[in-house]
Amino acid sequence: RLLIMGDAAHATSPSIGMGMNTALRDAQKFCAILAEHDDDLEAALPAFSAARVPEGNSLTDLAFHLYCLDSRWQLAETVHMILRGKLHAWF
């Protein structure tokens, strides 16, 4: 079995600054769910996913929509990606 938390589980843009907050909330929620299931990982892991995946998806949606609403950030990111691509091709 494998359990991932925080940024690893909720691949979200850092633009909303929720990485550490999400990791701490994941750890707190997993501890509570594990206690509810008497340390039975087979029962706790699906319950953890059911509890946390919707929040991770919501944070990803929020980051995406905030990025899309800021036209200055979009322009800067577009220029950054073009320059990065050119530099990568040259080197």
Side-chain angles (χ1 to χ4, degrees), residues 24-88:
L24 292 171
R25 180 70 174 140
D26 282 352
Q28 183 273 329
K29 190 67 173 176
F30 182 68
C31 184
I33 289 173
L34 194 57
E36 289 171 12
H37 291 88
D38 297 321
D39 293 333
D40 179 3
L41 283 176
E42 296 298 320
L45 291 176
F48 176 74
S49 291
R52 297 302 293 157
V53 167
E55 184 168 336
N57 291 344
S58 294
L59 291 172
T60 300
D61 290 345
L62 175 65
F64 175 76
H65 291 296
L66 287 175
Y67 169 78
C68 288
L69 295 174
D70 187 346
S71 58
R72 290 175 297 170
W73 182 255
Q74 287 175 340
L75 177 61
E77 187 63 20
T78 301
V79 169
H80 170 257
M81 294 306 292
I82 292 169
L83 288 174
R84 182 177 177 188
K86 295 287 185 189
L87 288 172
H88 182 73

Side-chain angles (χ1 to χ4, degrees), residues 4-14 16-24 26 52 56 59-60:
I4 55 176
M5 295 183 185
D7 289 353
H10 312 288
T12 301
S13 166
I16 59 172
M18 290 295 293
M20 180 58 76
N21 295 337
T22 304
L24 292 171
D26 282 352
R52 297 302 293 157
L59 291 172
T60 300

